[in-house]
Amino acid sequence: MASAEAGGFAAAKEGLKAIGAQTQSINQQVSAGKLALDPQVAEEAAKRVEEEIEALQKLLKKTQALSVVKGLGDYPDGQQLAQRFQDKATDSNSGAAELVRNLQEELQKQADAFRGAARDYRATDEQNSDDLRRGMQ
């Protein structure tokens, strides 16, 4: 099977790595207490990321259509070309469909990270309110 690089997907794999690094950074900042987002802002960010996930679902359907290339004839060259399209679309290690699914998963992790930052904001806000109430008593 073709590798992602041979299939022309090297840039997509690098982009996926970059998004993974962003997600990891967000999660680390949340865990360290360095990132707490206003719940409304965090929810808007999470929804925006989920819109991208939905757009990728449409792309995934188009990608899967590449696996059913017809009209290239019964000659060996035509069959080989059709197989190359199928491999680029559906190869489980490096095909376009797999890359799109991996991107969707990574974006979902990012949406979850934004919501985690909102939870931390609420928890910090509640703790501060409790501390203020105890201080006033």
Side-chain angles (χ1 to χ4, degrees):
M1 299 281 162
S3 71
E5 289 76 18
F9 298 122
K13 285 194 93 160
E14 287 303 312
L16 180 58
K17 285 181 188 177
I19 291 170
Q22 283 179 331
T23 303
Q24 185 177 11
S25 175
I26 292 167
N27 280 322
Q28 287 173 343
Q29 290 179 43
V30 170
S31 295
K34 295 180 180 178
L35 179 66
L37 296 175
D38 177 276
Q40 183 177 352
V41 172
E43 187 58 32
E44 288 172 9
K47 284 182 180 181
R48 178 66 184 107
V49 170
E50 288 170 341
E51 288 172 5
E52 291 299 318
I53 293 169
E54 288 176 25
L56 285 169
Q57 189 61 32
K58 293 174 187 172
L59 179 61
L60 184 59
K61 288 179 183 179
K62 290 179 181 179
T63 301
Q64 290 168 334
L66 285 176
S67 68
V68 192
V69 175
K70 300 205 185 287
L72 297 176
D74 293 329
Y75 294 104
D77 288 346
Q79 291 175 350
Q80 287 175 350
L81 184 57
Q83 185 62 48
R84 287 181 66 197
F85 276 108
Q86 182 177 356
D87 290 346
K88 284 185 177 191
T90 62
D91 182 77
S92 63
N93 295 317
S94 61
E98 187 64 22
L99 287 170
V100 170
R101 280 191 286 274
N102 290 341
L103 180 55
Q104 287 176 309
E105 289 173 14
E106 196 58 48
L107 288 174
Q108 187 58 57
K109 289 176 189 175
Q110 206 169 82
D112 295 342
F114 286 130
R115 290 190 174 108
R119 281 190 298 277
D120 283 2
Y121 180 93
R122 284 188 206 101
T124 300
D125 194 41
E126 288 173 14
Q127 182 63 47
N128 290 340
S129 293
D130 290 345
D131 290 348
L132 281 173
R133 277 193 292 267
R134 280 192 293 271
M136 292 181 167
Q137 294 176 352

